[in-house]
Amino acid sequence: MHGTTAPAPSDDRGRRAAVRAWCLYDWANSAFATSVVAAILPVYFAGIASRTMAPHQATARWAFASAAAMLLSGVLAPTLGAWADRGARRKPLLAACVAVGALGTLALAFAPANDWRVILLCFGVAFIAFAVGNGLYDALLPAVAEPDEMHRVSSRGFALGYLGGGILLAVHLAMILKPEWFHLPDAATATRIALASVAAWWVGFSLPLFRHVREPLREAVAGPQRAPISQVFHTLMSLRKRPDLWRFLLAFWLYSDGIGTVVKMATVYGSEVGIGRSHLIGSLLLVQLVAAPASLAFGRLVKPIGPQRAVVIGLAGYVLITICGFIMTRPIHFWMIAVLVALFQGGTQALSRSMFVTLIPRRQTAELFGFYSVSEKLAGVVGPLLFGTVASLSGGGRYAVLTLMPMFIAGAFLLMSVNLERGAAQARADEA
């Protein structure tokens, strides 16, 4: 026998407010993913690190730091998720992640301009909080959306995230390329102000979620009450009894590895190839603006072809992206890659999130989204490590790009082997 979850708001207005507030968190934290992870900080770091090392060494160090942050967040996410499930603490723990992540981002703005190690440390703290918080945020999706609207709400969240991240990135792009417009002395000062603004944006637009989204009530779980770490190991062992959930996680592990590596390494690799800063940041702005409607379009593909086939279309697009990355030599090539990423990234990630929701019992959402994050984050360890190793051995990132293609192809084949209906039925049985 299990307990009840928090009821949906009784009036339709309250329910719509909860959906908007939940989606708005994507708008809030996407500024970190866009401006810090993908656009501004990698270029800023490459410029500082290149004063004391070769460009390909800076690429490798960024990759290794990203892998370390991924590994730590992958270990923390399911343990904290199990603790949040057990005590109905998803929202308080998410609030702590927002606070730590914002402070880490703010610290980047005040880090010494000649010490790349401090920059990597601040980035690691902020990224771990960002990643753990994402799992808790995703776990609140069943609290705001009915089963038949999961795909649509998830896609809407990603669309708002791209739009919000794009708007702030546009401001950052103008500040960095034309600091005199903002009465700033130089691009370095503009970069620091941009990083500080990400922290304020993240906190400010997170507040509606804490006001309007209800914390699901604690579930009464039959059986022994385990400590969070013991519960994580118990759940991990039980995944073999859920074959469709297990296969989905493996598939996601593979293709999210490639997607995450593209996001983290694109601008650093572009800098190495010789693509100018204006092209790097401008093309990433294009990604944000095009990806918002593309994410919504992917949500509409679910009805005619199903979520699995829609994601496979996105993964085929990523195979093309890796080929373009290998032959990239000019700015126009980087812009072409940006357009392809914009078309496929958001929809692929949004539908993966909503498919996963259908495969898990409600009483373990935070813990199992922690495992979802583990799949994503530990995969994110392998990709950057492999990318950095090949870049170091080959003297550049060109051949490292090709290491991503097998991840997309194998992930697509494994995803199509998942029986979503059978997996959803097992999740409902586990709730009984």
Side-chain angles (χ1 to χ4, degrees), residues 342-408:
L343 291 175
F344 300 117
Q345 179 174 294
T348 301
Q349 293 175 315
L351 295 184
S352 297
R353 176 169 64 184
S354 52
M355 276 192 288
F356 184 70
V357 170
T358 67
L359 295 172
I360 61 177
R362 297 293 180 90
R363 66 171 177 263
Q364 291 179 285
T365 52
E367 180 189 356
L368 286 171
F369 263 110
F371 277 102
Y372 183 82
S373 295
V374 166
S375 293
E376 186 177 21
K377 304 309 180 291
L378 294 185
V381 173
V382 176
L385 276 178
L386 187 58
F387 194 103
T389 301
V390 174
S392 296
L393 294 175
S394 63
R398 187 170 306 281
Y399 288 98
V401 171
L402 296 180
T403 64
L404 306 180
M405 189 182 299
M407 301 173 188
F408 298 125

Side-chain angles (χ1 to χ4, degrees), residues 93-115:
L93 190 53
L94 177 57
C97 288
V98 172
V100 173
L103 288 173
T105 305
L106 187 62
L108 285 169
F110 295 96
N114 59 350
D115 194 336

Side-chain angles (χ1 to χ4, degrees), residues 231-246:
Q231 179 62 37
V232 167
F233 281 107
H234 174 75
T235 301
L236 182 60
M237 293 299 101
S238 71
L239 288 178
R240 60 187 178 183
K241 300 177 182 178
R242 303 171 180 175
D244 293 294
L245 176 59
W246 179 239

Side-chain angles (χ1 to χ4, degrees), residues 34-201:
T34 301
S35 289
V36 176
V37 178
I40 295 175
L41 190 61
V43 178
Y44 182 61
F45 169 80
I48 291 174
S50 62
R51 300 172 186 171
T52 58
M53 65 187 73
H56 74 274
Q57 292 177 322
T59 299
R61 278 173 171 74
W62 180 262
F64 295 148
S66 298
M70 284 285 192
L71 178 62
L72 287 172
S73 62
V75 171
L76 286 173
T79 304
L80 293 176
W83 181 74
D85 281 334
R86 183 60 57 83
R89 303 183 184 97
R90 298 177 183 92
K91 285 175 61 179
L93 190 53
L94 177 57
C97 288
V98 172
V100 173
L103 288 173
T105 305
L106 187 62
L108 285 169
F110 295 96
N114 59 350
D115 194 336
W116 56 268
R117 295 176 181 84
V118 174
I119 292 174
L120 289 183
L121 178 62
C122 294
F123 166 71
V125 170
F127 183 86
I128 291 168
F130 166 79
V132 173
N134 274 352
L136 297 162
Y137 160 66
D138 291 341
L140 292 171
L141 176 57
V144 300
E146 296 298 326
D148 61 349
E149 60 180 4
M150 292 283 191
H151 297 304
R152 180 180 60 82
V153 173
S154 183
S155 297
R156 180 179 169 187
F158 267 93
L160 273 178
Y162 281 116
L163 185 60
I167 289 173
L168 191 59
L169 181 59
V171 176
H172 292 162
L173 178 62
M175 288 173 58
I176 293 170
L177 297 180
K178 296 291 183 181
E180 65 274 11
W181 291 358
F182 299 84
H183 304 288
L184 298 174
D186 51 40
T189 302
T191 297
R192 291 175 176 273
I193 293 175
L195 292 171
S197 71
V198 169
W201 182 281

Side-chain angles (χ1 to χ4, degrees), residues 266-285:
T267 50
V268 174
Y269 172 54
S271 297
E272 175 194 315
V273 172
I275 309 299
R277 182 176 60 185
S278 60
H279 290 292
L280 292 174
I281 300 181
S283 60
L284 289 173
L285 174 60

